[in-house]
Amino acid sequence: MSTIDDNAHQIAALTLKRFKQENGRRVMIAIAGAPGSGKSTIAERVVAMLNDGAGLRAALFPMDGYHYDDAVLDEMHRRKFKGAIDTFDVHGLRHMLERLKRNEDDVVAVPVFDRAIEIARAGGRLIPQSVDIIVCEGNYLLASQSPWNRLKPIFDLSVFVDVDEDDLRQRLRERWQNFDLDDAEITRKVEENDLPNGLLVASTSLEPDLRVKNPGTSATFANTHID
């Protein structure tokens, strides 16, 4: 069985290979998967491995910073469905990804989602020009729906984290248990929002360069081969 570290090590190795193929040009990596799939933890481990063992500078860029503000979601009557694909600023995210890939600016400030207050903080993280590799993680990075399908071509390597539905349900419940919610509210959030979002991600994402199972069997290559 693979572990989070096994998955992260494989992704880091492929990322390093891709970086060498690009002769030093900044590369962009996408790690996508359902909420609760473990993609955020894997992405953090990949960044740490690249920084610690590869002699490179890597940075993490979560797509959650592009949540619409709660006030906007209230106007859209979509606040209770926060996290659904239509509650993100996909165009803002795409333009930021393209800007980061061009790497023309000495430093770029990116928004970061603060889970303690459930709001994205503008300029929450700085990514300097000296960063070699950016690992972007998020639910919908490989979504096939327009205009989300314009994101995948930006990435030099794409990864999808698979997780079984029953395991996903349990992970999502555990995430909400730390927020002082009663069981009925946790069930509502999971069954009416988080789990449907996760199943949508799993069923509609474009084929990645690599699939990993978390937890489960070893990673398997998709049809798109890495040269």
Side-chain angles (χ1 to χ4, degrees):
M1 292 179 66
S2 64
T3 66
I4 288 177
D5 282 339
D6 292 334
N7 291 336
H9 185 271
Q10 184 171 19
I11 297 167
L14 289 173
T15 299
L16 180 58
K17 178 180 178 182
R18 177 63 79 195
F19 179 74
K20 291 179 178 178
Q21 291 172 341
E22 295 297 330
N23 297 315
R25 180 185 66 81
R26 173 181 280 177
V27 298
M28 307 282 288
I29 310 303
I31 299 181
S37 63
K39 65 186 179 303
S40 300
T41 302
I42 292 175
E44 290 168 0
R45 301 276 179 91
V46 170
V47 170
M49 289 177 181
L50 291 170
N51 282 325
D52 294 341
L56 299 172
R57 294 195 66 183
L60 183 66
F61 176 42
M63 67 158 277
D64 278 355
Y66 283 85
H67 269 289
Y68 287 143
D69 189 83
D70 285 354
V72 174
L73 294 176
D74 284 338
E75 292 176 2
M76 296 170 59
H77 305 290
R78 292 291 289 167
R79 186 170 179 177
K80 67 183 295 185
F81 299 105
K82 189 173 184 176
I85 194 168
D86 65 326
T87 64
F88 290 87
D89 176 14
V90 57
H91 295 297
L93 174 62
R94 176 174 57 83
H95 286 298
M96 179 58 77
L97 289 170
E98 291 171 342
R99 180 185 176 193
L100 289 168
K101 187 165 187 176
R102 289 194 301 270
N103 198 20
E104 296 172 345
D105 303 312
D106 60 339
V107 64
V108 176
V110 299
V112 175
F113 190 71
D114 189 333
R115 293 201 173 276
I117 58 175
E118 285 287 301
I119 292 175
R121 293 185 288 107
R125 180 171 301 164
L126 300 179
I127 299 180
Q129 194 172 39
S130 57
V131 167
D132 302 300
I133 296 166
I134 295 177
V135 178
C136 186
E137 62 90 2
N139 299 342
Y140 305 111
L141 296 177
L142 300 181
S144 58
Q145 301 95 313
S146 178
W148 288 87
N149 57 356
R150 298 173 67 182
L151 300 185
K152 187 174 186 284
I154 299 172
F155 297 109
D156 301 285
L157 177 69
S158 60
V159 180
F160 191 87
V161 181
D162 284 315
V163 62
D164 294 333
E165 181 176 341
D166 289 343
D167 188 27
L168 180 60
R169 178 181 282 106
Q170 182 60 34
R171 288 169 183 245
L172 290 169
R173 290 191 65 86
E174 290 173 355
R175 283 175 57 170
W176 286 115
Q177 286 170 355
N178 297 322
F179 286 83
D180 196 29
L181 301 174
D182 61 33
D183 190 66
E185 181 62 9
I186 291 175
T187 297
R188 186 197 69 78
K189 284 181 173 293
V190 171
E191 299 298 333
E192 297 182 15
N193 191 50
D194 294 354
L195 187 60
N197 289 341
L199 296 177
L200 177 72
V201 170
S203 63
T204 64
S205 289
L206 297 166
E207 191 64 15
D209 296 313
L210 176 72
R211 285 184 179 273
V212 297
K213 183 77 172 179
N214 185 36
T217 57
S218 299
T220 58
F221 286 99
N223 293 330
T224 305
H225 296 291
I226 298 173
D227 297 327

